[in-house]
Amino acid sequence: MTGTDTDVGKTLVAAILVKAWSGDYWKPYQTGVAAARGDTETVAALLGPGGGHVLHAPACVLAAPLAPWAAARAEGVTLDVSGLRPPRTAVPLVVEGAGGLYVPVDAHCMMIDLAARLGLPVVLVARSTLGTINHTLLSLRALRARGLPVLGVVMNGPPSPGNREALERFGRVRIIAEIPPLARVDAAAVARVAAGIPALDTLMRDVRRSRRRRAGFPPA
């Protein structure tokens, strides 16, 4: 799971997807813990007790609110994604990236490279407001240029029918959900939104059909 920008609501959406898909959560690279609690702790609070979700510990936790590459350099740490392995789980694993697709992770790897290395389909989180069309279409173009499957886009913020129509039309993408500003951001709100999220199997099937159509094969 990635975003078109920083602070677009990825962690909230991650909690919603974990809840909707009865999954586990993992954020490989956590930065910014000097100023705020980590996203793993935030997701735990948003999910609430019970549910059986496993929140896997990050591979690396860094203090500065910077890209992993920059935060690691500030602490004298050398990151190398070549040895990174996702945790084993029997349920869907929601993996939250740091920032957007072109945030550097180590000296040679961006977040988009990490997504390709892990081989997971992508959910893109975008703002609903002014500017989102350009940012979102560029992100979708980058993902498709790398051959990465896109499950869909989650729009976060005040509903914008015009922006949604533009993203669906020009981005040729499914809008998985539109999340309006929430009066309370808590476990109850997460559960309410999660109830409207399409099933993961449905999204995966749609991606496979779309890729077959683009390749010139008949629908499976």
Side-chain angles (χ1 to χ4, degrees), residues 71-166:
R73 292 180 71 190
E75 295 185 29
V77 174
T78 300
L79 296 182
D80 181 1
V81 304
S82 63
L84 186 71
R85 299 290 182 272
R88 293 185 179 181
T89 173
V91 299
L93 179 66
V94 176
V95 181
E96 181 182 353
L101 291 169
Y102 283 91
V103 167
V105 182
D106 65 15
H108 309 286
C109 180
M110 304 273 188
M111 276 294 160
I112 193 169
D113 302 310
L114 181 58
R117 180 180 291 274
L118 293 176
L120 299 175
V122 177
V123 172
L124 182 63
V125 183
R127 303 184 196 279
S128 65
T129 49
L130 186 67
T132 194
I133 295 174
N134 183 63
H135 293 164
T136 306
L137 294 183
L138 284 172
S139 295
L140 290 170
R141 186 181 183 91
L143 288 166
R144 286 168 177 156
R146 294 291 297 272
L148 296 174
V150 180
L151 292 182
V153 171
V154 175
M155 299 178 68
N156 208 6
S160 176
N163 283 345
R164 174 173 182 152
E165 181 183 8

Side-chain angles (χ1 to χ4, degrees), residues 5 23 34 54-56 66 74-75 79 106-107 112 126 144 152 161 171 174-175 200 209 215-216:
D5 196 357
V54 177
L55 279 66
H56 300 273
L66 302 170
E75 295 185 29
L79 296 182
D106 65 15
I112 193 169
R144 286 168 177 156
R174 178 171 185 161
I175 304 301
L200 179 57
R209 287 175 175 170

Side-chain angles (χ1 to χ4, degrees), residues 15-21 47 179 187-199:
I16 291 168
L17 297 183
V18 169
K19 186 75 171 180
W21 297 337
L47 290 172
I179 304 174
V190 165
R192 285 196 304 273
V193 178
I197 298 294

